[in-house]
Amino acid sequence: MKTQKILVIGAGGQLGSELVQGLWKLYGKENVFATDIKDPQGILSQGNFEILDVLKQKHLFEFIQKNKITQVYHLAAVLSATGEKNPKFAWHLNMDGLVHVLDAAVEFKLDKVYWPSSIAAFGPTTPKHNTPQDTIMDPTTIYGITKLAGERWCDWYFRNKGVDVRSLRYPGLIGYKTKPGGGTTDYAVDIFFKALTEKKFECFLKPDTYLPMMYMDDAVKATLDLMEAPAAKVKTRSSYNISAMSFSPSEIAGEIKKHIPEFTISYNPDFRQAIADSWPKSIDDSRARQDWGWRHQFGLAEMTKEILKHLPALLAQEA
Ligand code: SER
């Protein structure tokens, strides 16, 4: 089997920095090329790292050719809340970036491409509970519109150009090692930082706003499981529903209180409430479970325990 050379675009982000470490373990540090438009932070500087802007197609193609890349994980995107503030740029980055990568897959006969979709691809008239794999999709944010369009691009490149592209519709991803930027589910990350440093947190969503969520370790596992699955098992080429848990701000606050009794939460909803209200509350991911054996490991209690165990040491290092 030929040596796999993996390019990760947008590696400095919340998911990228943890996914790169998973890829190091699978393929060896020397075979993983982490890239971003900003200098590497923390652990990423321990491996190959280069500045790469996916919008610069010529540079992207040269990079792939020079490094004999065989797989691309394309993670660079503007998220939901930021996208509403700069919709044209969100469209430009999220769409043109993806098409550049899919064209590169054709040009250089890449083995596989990974691209994330999101629960944001659903909308207000999508069934809210146990949202099915195939259902109404009427996203209201530009971010969600790019995710739905991106899913259709992936499916088109698979059917018409034979690109082995794979994708997951992530719920809100919660990790503590790298913070998210500009998402609607970010509150569920910030709450842990504030609980430890200030013992209080002001939430930009209402107390009962249920959203599907996933701990970062599960997100990395889902991504690598999908990418390592035999091609014949990957029957959905737009994007797979994937889920682990759903909770509301008041529920996660209650879970944190079990560990930090003095913690308090207050609520001051802003424009992100309407975005959250347009998304599903829970996801039916039975197709992913059937096709390639997806199983999650972390629920709310396990995740909260894990983060509150490890985050204090990280905060102490930064102080
Ligand atoms: N977590 C993302 C966001 O909130 C959704 O994919 O924008």
Side-chain angles (χ1 to χ4, degrees), residues 202-233:
E202 187 182 272
C203 186
F204 57 72
L205 297 181
K206 289 186 209 157
D208 56 351
T209 313
Y210 266 86
L211 286 170
M213 299 278 188
M214 182 178 283
Y215 186 47
M216 189 56 77
D217 290 27
D218 271 339
V220 170
K221 179 178 176 295
T223 310
L224 296 177
D225 283 358
L226 173 68
M227 285 298 274
E228 294 301 308
K233 294 201 168 190

Side-chain angles (χ1 to χ4, degrees), residues 79-80 118 143 170 172 183-185 279:
L79 291 190
S80 60
S118 159
Y143 172 72
Y170 292 124
T184 302
T185 55
W279 290 351

Side-chain angles (χ1 to χ4, degrees), residues 61-99:
F61 277 37
E62 284 164 3
F63 189 97
I64 290 175
Q65 194 164 33
K66 185 179 86 191
N67 295 295
K68 300 190 168 48
I69 297 298
T70 60
Q71 295 185 33
V72 175
Y73 287 71
H74 170 41
L75 310 177
V78 174
L79 291 190
S80 60
T82 315
E84 294 308 282
K85 296 191 175 140
N86 197 347
K88 300 276 167 56
F89 179 68
W91 177 260
H92 179 42
L93 174 63
N94 295 9
M95 275 317 42
D96 294 339
L98 172 61
V99 172

Side-chain angles (χ1 to χ4, degrees), residues 245-282:
M245 61 181 119
S246 288
F247 58 76
S248 63
S250 76
E251 281 181 1
I252 190 174
E255 200 58 42
I256 291 174
K257 257 174 168 306
K258 289 183 190 165
H259 302 265
I260 307 173
E262 63 276 36
F263 174 64
T264 56
I265 185 165
S266 56
Y267 300 93
N268 188 10
D270 66 15
F271 73 102
R272 289 168 283 193
Q273 183 66 47
I275 299 179
D277 287 342
S278 77
W279 290 351
K281 295 184 187 302
S282 60

Side-chain angles (χ1 to χ4, degrees), residues 145-160:
I145 293 170
T146 67
K147 290 300 179 189
L148 177 54
E151 288 189 12
R152 302 329 306 169
W153 273 119
C154 289
D155 192 62
W156 188 87
Y157 271 81
F158 172 73
R159 281 187 290 108
N160 294 291

Side-chain angles (χ1 to χ4, degrees), residues 4 36 38 43 62 69 72 108 147-148 171 238 244-245 269 271 291 306:
Q4 293 291 317
D36 206 292
K38 284 184 267 167
I43 195 146
E62 284 164 3
I69 297 298
V72 175
F108 300 103
K147 290 300 179 189
L148 177 54
S238 50
M245 61 181 119
F271 73 102
D291 285 1
E306 186 79 4

